[in-house]
Each structure stands twice: as C-alpha cells, then as structure tokens.
Amino acid sequence: MPIDPAAAAPGGEPARSLVRTEVADGIATITLDRPEALNALTIPMKEELLAAFRAIGRDRSVRAVVLTGAGRAFCAGQDLKERLEPDATPLVVEVRERYNPIIRAMRSLPQPIVGAINGVAAGAGASLAFACDIRIAAEGASFVLAFGRIGLVPDSGASWFLPRLVGPAKAAEMALLGTTLSAADAERFGLVVSVVPSDGLAQEAHTVAGRLAGLAPRALAHTKRALDRSWSVGLDDALEDEALRQGIAGATADHAEGLAAFLEKRPPRFTGE
Ligand code: T3D
C-alpha cells in the first residue's frame, strides 16, 4: 500500500514491498514481510510501516488493525546488518526519526491495534508488540529485549511500555538480564490476552479485531486516548477528562444508535458518526 511494489528500485529490480497491508471487513491487516531475516527492520521497511499506519489513520472504513509478521517471527528488531553499513545513520537520529514516529503513529491511531504475535518479538520488534492495544500470542511466540545483548538500551518505547504492561520487577529482569518471556508467561503477566495454537492465531486475531470493528469508532478512539493519558495524570484530571470525552461521545449518532439498539433488543449498527 505505501510503496508501489512495481516501482523500480535503484538497481532496476522491482522494489519488493516489505510491509503488506490488506483491508477486508473494516479490518486492516499489516504484515511485516521479510521472513528470511525474521522481519528485521530496515529503513525502507520502517518507512513503509509508518506510511501504512498513517494511511490507515486517514481511512474511516478501517475500524481495527491487526499487526503481525510473516514466517516464524513477529519481528527481530533493527536489521543489524544494515546497522553495520559504513553510511549507517547515527543511532540517535535513527531512533528519533525512524522508530519514534512509528510508535507515536501507533498510539495516536484512532483505531485499536491487535498484535498477532506469531513468533519471536525482539528488540524494537518487542517494542512494536508493546505499542499495540491488545496482544494475542501463538504458543511458540516470545518476547526478548535483545538490546542489552548488543550493548544498547531499550528503545522505541520499550522502557515506557514494559513496566506498565508487566510490572516493574519483571520489566527490570527483562530489560537488564535480557530474559526471554515465553508466550505462556506473557499471558501470566498480562502482556497478552490469550495464547493460541500457531495455526489459529490469524483467526483469533481477526475475531478480536472484528469485535472491535463492530464497536463505535469514536468512542474507541477516545477510550484508547484516555487509557494512555491515565499514566501521566492524577485522578482529578482523569475524572474531568472522562467527563469531557463522555460529553463528546454522548453527542454522536453512534451513541443514539447504541441506545436505540438496546431498547429495540437488536445489535447496534455503528457508522462512526
Ligand atoms: O538503528 C538502530 O540500531 C537503533 C535501533 C535499535 C532497535 C533494536 O531493535 S536493537 C535490537 C536488534 N535485534 C536484535 O538484537 C535481535 C537479533 N536476533 C536475535 O537475537 C535472534 O535472531 C532471535 C532471538 C530474534 C531469533 O533467534 P533464532 O535462533 O530463532 O534465529 P537466528 O538463527 O538467530 O536468525 C535467523 C536468521 O535471521 C539469521 O539469518 P541467516 O544466518 O539464516 O542468514 C539471522 O542473521 C537473521 N536475523 C535475526 N535477527 C536479525 C537478523 N538479521 C538482521 N538483523 C536482525 N535483527
């Protein structure tokens, strides 16, 4: 979607899209598609991923997003071979200008994101998983903050998300020791909502995304923002923020539809208005 796969690459070869976006039934499925390198992130891939989120954010027909990886991994983080290239971008610039915008785009996306964690999520790949709203894992999936193993620090939001998702003690173990969290332990710590057999992951993620897609989009967008905001405000501030958002949601046609559906004992048909 963001990059035309048919467009010529510098060497004359058709550029291969490394991030696939498919939209069906109000659900956009984004697939990191570089399985030969465990979906490790290169610059073009990061650019495509950012473009994909931005395009989805503008598309009102999309009500929910599924983020997953092709092959046996979710994402192995930064492509370390690219990093060794002589003209590699300085780390501070790469993180600030290529990783952080993706994480911001995910968190400011009005639609909820379901992470379908099909395999290992390492380094910035784990950060991408953490930045989803809801995560479902395949039985063989795992999470590892691989940064420390190569003398780097957690980035792309990992140091912010992880303590909030699994608690400070587990986050410290994972961040400092680089301990791998299995899918089963990720469920125990609340990082993923469920663990399913590998061959059932896509279906389960789409079922959850389908439930989200059937809800009122504006209410979901406000809920997502309110949950994020709760980390940085006190109760008084949160109470007032809730009141304001409720005022906005209450004025939507979807709220009226929700009430009508309740009274008529039928499923609501939310339009996003
Ligand atoms: O720009 C910046 O650098 C700043 C941003 C940093 C953010 C980061 O993400 S830093 C962290 C980067 N990621 C890692 O350090 C993870 C490196 N990978 C691994 O530790 C392991 O591959 C895994 C634990 C993810 C999986 O292990 P395993 O045993 O299942 O697979 P493998 O055999 O190690 O890897 C399979 C292939 O994928 C292999 O290629 P080959 O030898 O078969 O041709 C391997 O080189 C490749 N691969 C895996 N991870 C990466 C990668 N290639 C490039 N970059 C990778 N990150």
Side-chain angles (χ1 to χ4, degrees):
M1 172 164 134
I3 285 184
D4 175 3
E13 290 292 309
R16 184 187 133 211
S17 188
L18 303 169
V19 176
R20 269 189 289 122
T21 304
E22 287 139 342
V23 180
D25 303 324
I27 301 168
T29 303
I30 301 179
T31 306
L32 305 172
D33 194 11
R34 214 179 148 234
E36 67 280 9
L38 306 189
N39 302 315
L41 299 159
T42 57
I43 289 174
M45 208 168 162
K46 285 175 257 182
E47 289 173 346
E48 284 189 57
L49 185 58
L50 179 60
F53 280 121
R54 288 188 172 156
I56 287 167
R58 293 189 297 269
D59 186 344
R60 295 190 53 187
S61 74
V62 174
R63 301 282 192 89
V65 179
V66 173
L67 177 64
T68 195
R72 71 175 176 93
F74 176 73
C75 174
Q78 168 63 35
D79 185 301
L80 297 175
K81 293 167 190 164
E82 181 184 72
R83 177 115 302 283
L84 289 170
E85 286 169 12
D87 58 346
T89 317
L91 279 167
V92 61
V93 176
E94 191 62 28
V95 173
R96 196 181 276 149
E97 296 186 4
R98 292 216 174 82
Y99 281 100
N100 292 353
I102 295 172
I103 302 302
R104 288 197 181 98
M106 291 175 73
R107 294 316 311 153
S108 62
L109 197 75
Q111 300 96 331
I113 307 171
V114 178
I117 315 303
N118 53 302
V120 64
S127 305
L128 288 179
F130 301 157
C132 295
D133 294 281
I134 291 173
R135 282 155 295 278
I136 300 166
E139 278 166 355
S142 58
F143 300 84
V144 56
L145 295 193
F147 306 93
R149 296 178 186 176
I150 53 168
L152 291 181
V153 302
D155 67 20
S156 310
S159 67
W160 192 90
F161 289 113
L162 196 58
R164 289 165 167 82
L165 290 167
V166 301
K170 195 67 190 170
E173 183 195 359
M174 289 178 68
L176 296 171
L177 289 171
T179 309
T180 299
L181 194 70
S182 67
D185 281 346
E187 186 177 24
R188 214 158 51 84
F189 278 89
L191 179 61
V192 304
V193 295
S194 60
V195 179
V196 297
S198 206
D199 59 4
L201 179 67
Q203 179 60 53
E204 179 62 15
H206 281 82
T207 300
V208 173
R211 283 172 57 196
L212 291 164
L215 296 170
R218 289 169 71 182
L220 281 186
H222 278 288
T223 303
K224 180 169 167 168
R225 298 245 162 78
L227 289 174
D228 275 5
R229 199 172 174 278
S230 74
W231 293 111
S232 57
V233 301
L235 176 61
D236 274 341
D237 196 339
L239 288 170
E240 179 55 20
D241 185 63
E242 285 177 352
L244 291 173
R245 291 184 195 278
Q246 204 64 297
I248 295 167
T252 61
D254 277 347
H255 173 52
E257 164 63 9
L259 288 178
F262 174 75
L263 294 173
E264 292 162 23
K265 299 188 187 298
R266 62 168 174 81
R269 290 181 295 269
F270 293 122
T271 61
E273 296 304 321

Coordinates of all heavy atoms in Angstrom, one line a residue, residues 163-227:
P163 N 7.2 -1.7 31.9 CA 6.8 -1.7 33.3 C 5.3 -1.5 33.5 O 4.8 -2.1 34.4 CB 7.6 -0.5 33.8 CG 8.6 -0.1 32.8 CD 8.1 -0.6 31.5
R164 N 4.7 -0.8 32.6 CA 3.3 -0.6 32.7 C 2.5 -1.9 32.3 O 1.4 -2.1 32.8 CB 2.8 0.5 31.7 CG 3.3 1.9 32.2 CD 3.2 3.0 31.2 NE 3.3 4.3 31.8 CZ 4.5 4.9 32.0 NH1 5.6 4.2 31.8 NH2 4.5 6.1 32.6
L165 N 3.1 -2.7 31.4 CA 2.4 -3.9 31.0 C 2.6 -5.1 31.9 O 1.7 -5.9 32.1 CB 2.8 -4.2 29.5 CG 2.4 -3.2 28.4 CD1 3.1 -3.5 27.1 CD2 0.9 -3.4 28.2
V166 N 3.8 -5.3 32.4 CA 4.1 -6.5 33.1 C 4.5 -6.2 34.6 O 4.8 -7.1 35.4 CB 5.2 -7.4 32.5 CG1 4.8 -7.8 31.1 CG2 6.6 -6.6 32.5
G167 N 4.6 -4.9 34.9 CA 5.1 -4.5 36.3 C 6.6 -4.2 36.3 O 7.3 -4.8 35.5
P168 N 7.0 -3.4 37.3 CA 8.4 -3.0 37.3 C 9.4 -4.1 37.5 O 10.5 -4.1 36.9 CB 8.5 -2.0 38.4 CG 7.2 -2.2 39.2 CD 6.2 -2.8 38.3
A169 N 9.1 -5.1 38.3 CA 10.1 -6.2 38.6 C 10.4 -7.0 37.4 O 11.5 -7.3 37.0 CB 9.6 -7.0 39.8
K170 N 9.3 -7.5 36.7 CA 9.5 -8.3 35.5 C 10.2 -7.5 34.4 O 11.0 -8.0 33.7 CB 8.2 -8.9 35.0 CG 8.3 -10.0 34.1 CD 8.9 -11.2 34.8 CE 9.3 -12.3 33.8 NZ 10.1 -13.4 34.4
A171 N 9.8 -6.2 34.3 CA 10.4 -5.4 33.3 C 11.8 -5.2 33.5 O 12.6 -5.3 32.6 CB 9.7 -4.0 33.3
A172 N 12.2 -5.0 34.8 CA 13.7 -4.9 35.1 C 14.4 -6.1 34.8 O 15.5 -6.1 34.2 CB 13.8 -4.5 36.6
E173 N 13.8 -7.3 35.1 CA 14.5 -8.6 34.7 C 14.7 -8.7 33.2 O 15.8 -9.0 32.7 CB 13.7 -9.8 35.2 CG 14.3 -11.1 35.0 CD 13.4 -12.3 35.1 OE1 12.2 -12.1 35.5 OE2 13.8 -13.4 34.9
M174 N 13.6 -8.4 32.5 CA 13.7 -8.5 31.0 C 14.7 -7.5 30.4 O 15.4 -7.8 29.5 CB 12.3 -8.3 30.4 CG 11.4 -9.5 30.7 SD 9.8 -9.2 30.0 CE 10.1 -9.3 28.2
A175 N 14.6 -6.2 31.0 CA 15.5 -5.2 30.4 C 16.9 -5.3 30.7 O 17.8 -5.1 29.9 CB 14.9 -3.8 30.8
L176 N 17.2 -5.7 32.0 CA 18.6 -5.8 32.4 C 19.3 -7.1 32.1 O 20.4 -7.1 31.7 CB 18.7 -5.5 34.0 CG 18.2 -4.1 34.4 CD1 18.1 -4.0 35.9 CD2 19.1 -3.0 33.9
L177 N 18.5 -8.2 32.3 CA 19.1 -9.5 32.1 C 18.9 -10.0 30.7 O 19.5 -11.0 30.2 CB 18.6 -10.5 33.1 CG 19.1 -10.4 34.5 CD1 18.3 -11.3 35.4 CD2 20.6 -10.7 34.6
G178 N 17.9 -9.4 30.0 CA 17.6 -9.9 28.6 C 16.8 -11.2 28.7 O 16.8 -11.9 27.7
T179 N 16.2 -11.5 29.8 CA 15.4 -12.7 29.9 C 14.3 -12.8 28.9 O 13.6 -11.8 28.8 CB 14.8 -12.9 31.4 OG1 15.9 -12.6 32.3 CG2 14.2 -14.2 31.6
T180 N 14.2 -13.9 28.3 CA 13.1 -14.1 27.3 C 11.8 -14.5 28.0 O 11.8 -15.3 28.9 CB 13.5 -15.3 26.3 OG1 14.7 -14.9 25.6 CG2 12.4 -15.5 25.3
L181 N 10.7 -13.8 27.6 CA 9.4 -14.1 28.2 C 8.7 -15.0 27.2 O 8.4 -14.6 26.0 CB 8.7 -12.8 28.4 CG 7.4 -12.9 29.3 CD1 7.8 -13.1 30.7 CD2 6.6 -11.6 29.1
S182 N 8.3 -16.2 27.6 CA 7.6 -17.1 26.7 C 6.1 -16.6 26.6 O 5.7 -15.8 27.4 CB 7.6 -18.5 27.4 OG 6.8 -18.5 28.6
A183 N 5.4 -17.2 25.6 CA 4.0 -16.8 25.4 C 3.2 -17.1 26.7 O 2.4 -16.3 27.1 CB 3.5 -17.5 24.2
A184 N 3.5 -18.3 27.3 CA 2.7 -18.7 28.5 C 2.9 -17.7 29.6 O 2.0 -17.3 30.3 CB 3.1 -20.1 28.9
D185 N 4.2 -17.3 29.8 CA 4.5 -16.3 30.9 C 3.9 -15.0 30.5 O 3.5 -14.2 31.4 CB 6.0 -16.3 31.1 CG 6.5 -17.4 32.0 OD1 5.6 -18.1 32.6 OD2 7.7 -17.7 32.1
A186 N 4.0 -14.6 29.2 CA 3.4 -13.3 28.8 C 1.9 -13.3 29.1 O 1.4 -12.2 29.6 CB 3.6 -13.1 27.3
E187 N 1.2 -14.4 29.0 CA -0.2 -14.4 29.4 C -0.3 -14.3 30.9 O -1.2 -13.6 31.4 CB -0.9 -15.7 28.9 CG -2.4 -15.7 29.2 CD -3.0 -17.0 28.6 OE1 -2.4 -18.0 28.4 OE2 -4.3 -16.9 28.3
R188 N 0.6 -15.0 31.6 CA 0.5 -14.9 33.1 C 0.7 -13.5 33.6 O 0.1 -13.0 34.6 CB 1.6 -15.9 33.7 CG 1.3 -16.5 35.0 CD 2.1 -17.8 35.1 NE 3.5 -17.6 35.0 CZ 4.4 -17.2 35.9 NH1 3.9 -16.9 37.1 NH2 5.7 -17.1 35.7
F189 N 1.6 -12.8 32.9 CA 1.9 -11.4 33.3 C 1.0 -10.4 32.7 O 1.1 -9.2 32.9 CB 3.4 -11.1 33.0 CG 4.3 -11.6 34.0 CD1 4.9 -12.8 34.0 CD2 4.7 -10.8 35.1 CE1 5.8 -13.3 34.9 CE2 5.5 -11.2 36.1 CZ 6.1 -12.5 36.0
G190 N 0.0 -10.8 31.9 CA -1.0 -9.9 31.4 C -0.5 -9.2 30.1 O -1.2 -8.3 29.6
L191 N 0.7 -9.6 29.6 CA 1.1 -8.9 28.4 C 0.3 -9.3 27.2 O 0.1 -8.5 26.3 CB 2.6 -9.3 28.2 CG 3.3 -8.7 27.0 CD1 3.3 -7.2 27.0 CD2 4.8 -9.2 26.9
V192 N -0.1 -10.5 27.1 CA -1.0 -11.0 26.0 C -2.3 -11.4 26.6 O -2.4 -11.9 27.8 CB -0.4 -12.1 25.2 CG1 1.0 -11.7 24.7 CG2 -0.3 -13.4 26.0
V193 N -3.4 -11.2 25.9 CA -4.7 -11.6 26.4 C -5.0 -13.1 26.3 O -5.7 -13.7 27.1 CB -5.9 -10.8 25.8 CG1 -5.8 -9.3 26.1 CG2 -5.9 -11.0 24.3
S194 N -4.4 -13.7 25.3 CA -4.5 -15.2 25.2 C -3.4 -15.8 24.3 O -2.7 -15.0 23.6 CB -5.9 -15.5 24.5 OG -5.9 -15.0 23.2
V195 N -3.2 -17.1 24.5 CA -2.2 -17.8 23.7 C -2.9 -18.9 23.0 O -3.7 -19.6 23.6 CB -1.1 -18.4 24.7 CG1 -0.1 -19.2 23.8 CG2 -0.4 -17.4 25.5
V196 N -2.7 -19.0 21.7 CA -3.5 -19.9 20.9 C -2.5 -20.7 20.0 O -1.3 -20.3 19.8 CB -4.5 -19.2 20.0 CG1 -5.5 -18.5 20.8 CG2 -3.8 -18.3 19.0
P197 N -2.9 -21.9 19.5 CA -2.0 -22.6 18.6 C -1.7 -21.8 17.4 O -2.5 -21.0 17.0 CB -2.9 -23.9 18.2 CG -3.9 -24.0 19.3 CD -4.1 -22.6 19.8
S198 N -0.5 -22.0 16.9 CA 0.0 -21.2 15.8 C -1.0 -21.1 14.6 O -1.2 -20.0 14.1 CB 1.3 -21.8 15.3 OG 2.1 -20.8 14.8
D199 N -1.6 -22.2 14.3 CA -2.4 -22.2 13.1 C -3.8 -21.5 13.4 O -4.6 -21.3 12.4 CB -2.6 -23.6 12.5 CG -3.2 -24.6 13.5 OD1 -3.6 -24.2 14.6 OD2 -3.3 -25.8 13.2
G200 N -4.0 -21.2 14.6 CA -5.3 -20.5 14.9 C -5.1 -19.0 15.2 O -6.1 -18.3 15.5
L201 N -3.9 -18.5 15.2 CA -3.6 -17.2 15.6 C -4.3 -16.1 14.7 O -4.9 -15.2 15.2 CB -2.1 -16.9 15.6 CG -1.7 -15.5 16.0 CD1 -2.0 -15.2 17.4 CD2 -0.2 -15.2 15.7
A202 N -4.2 -16.3 13.4 CA -4.7 -15.3 12.5 C -6.3 -15.2 12.7 O -6.8 -14.1 12.8 CB -4.4 -15.6 11.0
Q203 N -6.9 -16.3 12.8 CA -8.3 -16.4 13.0 C -8.7 -15.7 14.3 O -9.6 -14.9 14.4 CB -8.8 -17.8 13.0 CG -10.3 -18.0 13.2 CD -11.1 -17.3 12.2 OE1 -10.9 -17.5 11.0 NE2 -12.0 -16.4 12.6
E204 N -8.0 -16.0 15.4 CA -8.3 -15.4 16.7 C -8.1 -13.9 16.7 O -8.9 -13.2 17.2 CB -7.4 -16.1 17.8 CG -7.6 -15.6 19.2 CD -9.0 -15.8 19.8 OE1 -9.8 -16.6 19.2 OE2 -9.4 -15.1 20.7
A205 N -7.0 -13.5 16.1 CA -6.7 -12.0 16.0 C -7.9 -11.3 15.2 O -8.3 -10.2 15.6 CB -5.4 -11.8 15.3
H206 N -8.3 -12.0 14.1 CA -9.4 -11.4 13.3 C -10.7 -11.4 14.0 O -11.5 -10.5 13.8 CB -9.4 -12.0 11.9 CG -8.3 -11.4 11.0 ND1 -7.0 -11.9 11.1 CD2 -8.3 -10.4 10.2 CE1 -6.3 -11.2 10.3 NE2 -7.1 -10.2 9.7
T207 N -10.9 -12.4 14.9 CA -12.2 -12.4 15.7 C -12.2 -11.2 16.6 O -13.1 -10.5 16.8 CB -12.3 -13.7 16.4 OG1 -12.3 -14.8 15.5 CG2 -13.5 -13.8 17.3
V208 N -11.0 -11.0 17.3 CA -10.9 -9.9 18.3 C -11.1 -8.6 17.5 O -11.8 -7.7 17.9 CB -9.6 -10.0 19.1 CG1 -9.4 -8.7 19.9 CG2 -9.6 -11.2 20.0
A209 N -10.3 -8.5 16.4 CA -10.4 -7.2 15.6 C -11.8 -7.0 15.1 O -12.3 -5.9 15.0 CB -9.4 -7.3 14.4
G210 N -12.5 -8.1 14.7 CA -13.9 -8.0 14.3 C -14.8 -7.5 15.3 O -15.7 -6.7 15.1
R211 N -14.6 -7.9 16.6 CA -15.4 -7.4 17.7 C -15.1 -5.9 17.8 O -16.1 -5.1 18.0 CB -15.0 -8.1 19.0 CG -15.6 -9.5 19.1 CD -15.1 -10.2 20.3 NE -15.3 -9.5 21.5 CZ -14.7 -9.8 22.7 NH1 -13.8 -10.8 22.7 NH2 -14.9 -9.1 23.8
L212 N -13.9 -5.5 17.7 CA -13.6 -4.1 17.8 C -14.2 -3.3 16.7 O -14.7 -2.2 16.9 CB -12.0 -3.9 17.9 CG -11.3 -4.4 19.1 CD1 -9.8 -4.5 18.8 CD2 -11.6 -3.4 20.3
A213 N -14.1 -3.9 15.5 CA -14.6 -3.2 14.3 C -16.2 -3.0 14.4 O -16.7 -2.1 13.7 CB -14.3 -4.0 13.0
G214 N -16.8 -3.8 15.2 CA -18.3 -3.6 15.4 C -18.7 -2.6 16.4 O -19.9 -2.3 16.6
L215 N -17.7 -2.0 17.1 CA -18.0 -1.0 18.1 C -18.0 0.4 17.6 O -17.6 0.6 16.4 CB -17.0 -1.2 19.3 CG -17.1 -2.6 20.0 CD1 -16.0 -2.8 21.0 CD2 -18.5 -2.7 20.7
A216 N -18.3 1.4 18.4 CA -18.4 2.7 17.9 C -17.0 3.3 17.8 O -16.3 3.5 18.8 CB -19.2 3.6 18.9
P217 N -16.6 3.7 16.6 CA -15.2 4.1 16.3 C -14.7 5.3 17.2 O -13.6 5.3 17.7 CB -15.1 4.4 14.9 CG -16.3 3.7 14.2 CD -17.3 3.6 15.3
R218 N -15.6 6.3 17.3 CA -15.1 7.5 18.0 C -15.0 7.2 19.5 O -14.1 7.7 20.2 CB -16.1 8.6 17.7 CG -15.9 9.1 16.3 CD -16.9 10.1 15.8 NE -16.8 11.4 16.5 CZ -17.7 12.4 16.2 NH1 -18.7 12.2 15.4 NH2 -17.5 13.5 16.8
A219 N -15.9 6.4 20.0 CA -15.8 6.0 21.4 C -14.5 5.2 21.7 O -13.8 5.4 22.7 CB -17.0 5.2 21.9
L220 N -14.2 4.3 20.7 CA -13.0 3.5 20.9 C -11.8 4.4 20.9 O -10.8 4.2 21.6 CB -12.9 2.5 19.8 CG -13.7 1.2 19.9 CD1 -13.3 0.3 18.7 CD2 -13.5 0.5 21.2
A221 N -11.8 5.4 19.9 CA -10.6 6.3 19.8 C -10.4 7.1 21.1 O -9.3 7.2 21.6 CB -10.8 7.2 18.6
H222 N -11.5 7.5 21.7 CA -11.4 8.3 23.0 C -11.0 7.4 24.1 O -10.2 7.8 25.0 CB -12.7 9.0 23.3 CG -12.9 10.3 22.5 ND1 -12.2 11.4 22.9 CD2 -13.7 10.6 21.5 CE1 -12.6 12.4 22.0 NE2 -13.5 11.9 21.2
T223 N -11.5 6.1 24.1 CA -11.1 5.2 25.1 C -9.6 4.9 25.1 O -8.9 4.9 26.1 CB -11.9 3.9 25.0 OG1 -13.3 4.2 25.0 CG2 -11.5 2.9 26.1
K224 N -9.1 4.7 23.9 CA -7.6 4.5 23.7 C -6.8 5.7 24.2 O -5.9 5.5 25.0 CB -7.4 4.3 22.2 CG -6.0 4.0 21.8 CD -5.9 3.5 20.3 CE -4.4 3.6 19.8 NZ -4.2 2.9 18.6
R225 N -7.2 6.9 23.9 CA -6.5 8.1 24.3 C -6.6 8.2 25.9 O -5.6 8.6 26.5 CB -7.1 9.4 23.7 CG -7.0 9.4 22.2 CD -6.1 10.5 21.7 NE -5.8 10.1 20.3 CZ -6.6 10.3 19.3 NH1 -7.7 10.9 19.4 NH2 -6.2 10.0 18.0
A226 N -7.8 8.0 26.4 CA -8.0 8.1 27.9 C -7.1 7.1 28.6 O -6.5 7.5 29.6 CB -9.4 7.9 28.2
L227 N -7.0 5.9 28.1 CA -6.1 4.9 28.8 C -4.7 5.3 28.7 O -4.0 5.2 29.7 CB -6.3 3.5 28.1 CG -7.7 2.8 28.4 CD1 -7.8 1.6 27.5 CD2 -7.9 2.5 29.8

